[in-house]
Amino acid sequence: MVGESGSGKSTLARAILRLEDADSGAAFWKGQDLLAMSPAALLGVRRQIQMVFQDPTQSLNPRMSVYQLISEGWDIHRLMPDRSERQVRVRQLLEQVGLSPEHASRYPHQFSGGQRQRIAIARALALEPELIICDEAVSALDVSIRAQVIALLDDLRERLGISFLFIAHDTGVVRDFADTVIVMKAGEIVERGPTEQIFSAPSHPYTQRLLAAALDPDPDVQAQRRLLATAQA
Amino acid sequence: MSDLSTAIPPAPTKSRVTPLLAMLWRDKLAFVSAIVLVIIVLFALLGPALLSDLATSQNLRGRNSPPFDLAQGWAFVSGGDSLGRPMLARLIVAARSTMLVAAGTVLAAMVVGAVLGLLAGYLGKHVSQAIMRSADVIMSFPSLLIAVIVLYVLGPSIPNMIPVLAITRIPIYLRTTRAEVLEVRQRMFVQAAVVMGASNGRIILRHILPVVAPTLVTIATLDFAFVMLAESSLSFPGIGIQPPDITRGLMVSRGRPYLTTAWWLAFWPGLLIVITTLSLNLLSNWMRVALDPSQRWRLEARSTKDE
């Protein structure tokens, strides 16, 4: 899902997860409307849909160790009562996201931004979800770390078969990662379709402008494009 | 002190108490404060049993006798009061009522205020409005008036004084807690807990309370001194602590008329109030650091820093 800042991408994600109340409409998950669900039914769905937030510094409770952070979901959903089993699983999860198992007893402030986001991903994976919503999950990270985290997510998607709802304003990231793209503007979906189609033949003028606004890695091409754009205007 | 320093060095064992003691040892001010508080608590526990006869025995030759004069016996080392009772014994005996009233009031006000504040901050608008408006009612009511009414009806005693004093302090904790909760609940890690399906109780206790608690403890320690003095204002209309019971606040207010002639009547209890408050404050400051994982390294041994 792409769109400019303020286009309502995050709000849509938050509405799906019932962090914000939707005024109207419906969001269907396996045939059930998430927005009209009873608290008890919602608790079940909370296991299946997890979220990775934009800023891992804020989304991890600074007073909880990595072990506590990752195992909190099991406490909430009364899973895995056995402590040793939990410890093994936390270690596995940490390895899965590319951290070392010894990190379990540390606290979030002892990690770098990219590592923290890995912890957040491990936390999301702990409940074995079917869908992970990534709200700008990589935009707070610097470029090299961003590539690593995206590679990690890609790997998880292939190995574990998890679906991702990936929210970004960076069209390049989306192009690499997504199968289907939704373009949003001012709270509306203006275009949706398979990634190649959106990127090669965008039909909506906003999508065309959005793609044109993305910087090209080649400065010469970029200069050419800028000339073209000013000529058109 | 030498045996203490050998008993406490950082021996990282499995138990939870030892690292805590080691952290306390590392902050010398907090360590001294803890010792002072232990002594005061001992005074409060044992003082009345051992010294209450001495504290009430009058020796009219020792009326307002100056401190550091051993002519009247060791008990008069910090002077005698206006009825010739030894100040030292009275100060020690007063520890019990003082601490009982102050600790009881502060704890009651803090717990009630925090619980209501958490609810007001986290639950919906209606609950919040109901709680906050009742707090406004309490705040607009002259606290001395409540005290006079309640204590005339129920009779002046420590168990009656605690709730009366506590009620007037609740709004402070309530408002602080609510204001902090409103901010903390918007933080991402609380939202992350919501997404995972955490219940309201879990979010409040595990994610919000630990952030709010240090502020509350700091206010509570400052409030301690206020309550010790406020309690003495109740004895002005005659509904405070009744003789022969004594508190430090009462001693300060009784000593005030003699300030120009016998300063020690108000000075010693005042000094003890300051020391107690200061110790509590230093200890709470240490606690705030010790309980915060991102600050704890300041108190941990330098050798473990590069683990």
Side-chain angles (χ1 to χ4, degrees):
Chain A
M1 193 194 298
V2 289
E4 63 191 11
S5 301
S7 60
K9 307 174 302 254
S10 295
T11 310
L12 183 61
R14 294 168 61 84
I16 292 172
L17 287 166
R18 297 271 296 264
L19 284 173
E20 253 160 58
D21 289 329
D23 295 329
S24 62
F28 287 99
W29 171 257
K30 296 186 178 172
Q32 285 177 296
D33 185 1
L34 287 171
L35 304 183
M37 222 172 230
S38 70
L42 192 64
L43 186 64
V45 174
R46 292 254 191 244
R47 252 187 82 183
Q48 298 161 12
I49 308 180
Q50 287 295 303
M51 186 157 181
V52 176
F53 291 86
Q54 176 172 9
D55 185 355
T57 312
Q58 288 177 29
S59 70
L60 302 173
N61 188 337
R63 286 165 182 275
M64 289 165 81
S65 69
V66 171
Y67 173 80
Q68 288 173 316
L69 284 165
I70 293 178
S71 61
E72 183 172 27
W74 301 327
D75 283 339
I76 293 168
H77 294 281
R78 308 227 165 81
L79 302 167
M80 257 197 274
D82 183 34
R83 282 198 69 149
S84 55
E85 196 185 329
R86 279 189 179 195
Q87 251 149 18
V88 172
R89 185 81 184 106
V90 166
R91 284 161 169 275
Q92 280 177 353
L93 284 165
L94 285 176
E95 275 175 354
Q96 209 162 35
V97 298
L99 292 169
S100 128
E102 294 91 72
H103 288 160
S105 59
R106 295 211 192 161
Y107 289 88
H109 68 95
Q110 292 166 303
F111 294 91
S112 70
Q115 288 175 316
R116 283 181 204 157
Q117 198 59 293
R118 286 165 192 267
I119 297 170
I121 293 168
R123 172 172 69 178
L125 290 175
L127 286 174
E128 290 163 11
E130 293 164 43
L131 172 68
I132 294 181
I133 299 180
C134 294
D135 183 5
E136 305 267 13
V138 294
S139 32
L141 308 175
D142 64 53
V143 180
S144 61
I145 310 278
R146 188 183 298 178
Q148 289 174 16
V149 171
I150 288 174
L152 168 68
L153 293 177
D154 213 18
D155 179 47
L156 293 172
R157 178 173 59 171
E158 269 162 35
R159 273 196 299 156
L160 306 175
I162 299 170
S163 309
F164 283 90
L165 175 56
F166 195 87
I167 298 171
H169 57 248
D170 181 349
T171 46
V173 170
V174 173
R175 185 175 204 161
D176 290 343
F177 189 76
D179 299 323
T180 311
V181 177
I182 297 172
V183 183
M184 280 192 79
K185 181 184 190 266
E188 306 262 345
I189 293 177
V190 295
E191 189 168 358
R192 62 188 298 174
T195 309
E196 301 95 50
Q197 188 195 318
I198 296 273
F199 278 88
S200 56
S203 60
H204 193 275
Y206 174 72
T207 317
Q208 290 162 3
R209 267 187 290 134
L210 192 73
L211 293 177
L215 297 174
D216 197 280
D218 186 338
D220 292 336
V221 176
Q222 179 62 30
Q224 200 88 77
R225 280 208 336 213
R226 194 182 305 133
L227 277 178
L228 262 173
T230 41
Q232 276 178 355
Chain B
M1 289 295 273
S2 60
D3 59 325
L4 276 173
S5 60
T6 52
I8 289 170
T13 50
K14 288 284 176 215
S15 90
R16 281 184 156 206
V17 183
T18 324
L20 221 76
L21 279 179
M23 280 197 270
L24 188 58
W25 174 242
R26 206 138 286 120
D27 185 345
K28 296 295 181 286
L29 276 175
F31 185 75
V32 172
S33 307
I35 289 178
V36 167
L37 288 175
V38 167
I39 292 173
I40 290 174
V41 169
L42 283 181
F43 280 173
L45 290 177
L46 306 174
L50 299 175
L51 294 169
S52 64
D53 286 344
L54 189 60
T56 47
S57 71
Q58 299 178 13
N59 173 358
L60 290 180
R61 233 174 301 169
R63 282 181 62 220
N64 287 357
S65 67
F68 312 119
D69 174 14
L70 292 176
Q72 310 284 339
W74 64 269
F76 283 82
V77 70
S78 52
D81 74 354
S82 54
L83 290 173
R85 295 171 292 194
M87 286 295 286
L88 184 64
R90 288 177 69 72
L91 285 170
I92 292 174
V93 173
R96 175 177 286 182
S97 313
T98 310
M99 297 306 276
L100 219 56
V101 172
T105 304
V106 168
L107 274 180
M110 182 168 71
V111 170
V112 175
V115 169
L116 289 177
L118 287 168
L119 294 178
Y122 196 77
L123 299 178
K125 222 175 182 175
H126 299 291
V127 182
S128 169
Q129 284 290 325
I131 292 176
M132 295 317 286
R133 295 299 79 79
S134 4
D136 289 348
V137 170
I138 293 175
M139 285 184 88
S140 61
F141 219 72
S143 52
L144 202 62
L145 191 63
I146 307 181
V148 167
I149 295 169
V150 173
L151 293 178
Y152 267 128
V153 173
L154 298 177
S157 69
I158 292 181
N160 289 345
M161 278 174 73
I162 290 176
V164 167
L165 286 168
I167 282 176
T168 62
R169 309 304 298 164
I170 285 174
I172 296 169
Y173 297 94
L174 172 59
R175 286 169 160 257
T176 319
T177 312
R178 176 171 168 273
E180 283 226 22
V181 171
L182 287 178
E183 186 259 319
V184 174
R185 66 176 296 188
Q186 291 302 326
R187 292 204 197 161
M188 276 299 164
F189 62 80
V190 175
Q191 312 245 310
V194 174
V195 171
M196 280 198 286
S199 62
N200 284 350
R202 182 180 184 85
I203 288 170
I204 289 176
L205 291 178
R206 293 269 302 185
H207 295 280
I208 297 183
L209 187 60
V211 181
V212 181
T215 316
L216 291 180
V217 171
T218 307
I219 300 178
T221 57
L222 294 173
D223 224 19
F224 226 79
F226 179 88
V227 170
M228 284 190 226
L229 293 172
E231 154 265 304
S232 68
S233 68
L234 289 179
S235 51
F236 179 68
I239 50 175
I241 293 286
Q242 301 296 307
D245 246 355
I246 29 174
T247 63
R248 289 187 204 141
L250 193 56
M251 290 171 82
V252 171
S253 66
R254 286 282 152 82
R256 211 172 290 141
Y258 298 94
L259 257 185
T260 46
T261 51
W263 53 267
W264 51 92
L265 294 193
F267 176 76
W268 294 123
L271 185 69
L272 274 182
I273 290 177
V274 171
I275 290 176
T276 312
T277 314
L278 197 65
S279 302
L280 278 169
N281 217 323
L282 289 169
L283 200 64
S284 82
N285 188 43
W286 166 82
M287 204 157 75
R288 186 176 56 75
V289 176
L291 294 183
D292 185 344
S294 57
Q295 308 233 9
R296 198 177 288 155
W297 59 270
R298 292 173 206 277
L299 294 171
E300 272 163 359
R302 273 149 200 80
S303 56
T304 60
K305 223 165 95 178
D306 49 15
E307 71 183 305

